[in-house]
Amino acid sequence: MRTYTTDVSSRTESIALQVPPGATSARVRFRYTGGNNWYWVIDGVGIGRP
């Protein structure tokens, strides 16, 4: 899980996921909680092998 507590400028991030043996599917969730409704975005999400 990633948590941000201040403004974060636009950047590319990679997060390594732990894959259990025998897994055949995955679920990724994004959640926003806060009071700043001026601007936020998640864009260009991709899931793949390194």
Side-chain angles (χ1 to χ4, degrees), residues 6-18:
T6 61
D7 290 341
V8 177
S9 60
S10 178
R11 64 180 178 215
T12 300
E13 291 198 32
S14 296
I15 300 172
L17 303 176
Q18 300 298 319

Side-chain angles (χ1 to χ4, degrees), residues 32-40:
Y32 172 81
T33 57
N36 182 358
N37 62 359
W38 182 71
Y39 184 82
W40 66 278

Side-chain angles (χ1 to χ4, degrees), residues 14-34:
S14 296
I15 300 172
L17 303 176
Q18 300 298 319
V19 180
T24 59
S25 64
R27 184 183 305 186
V28 177
R29 179 173 71 173
F30 300 94
R31 179 174 46 192
Y32 172 81
T33 57

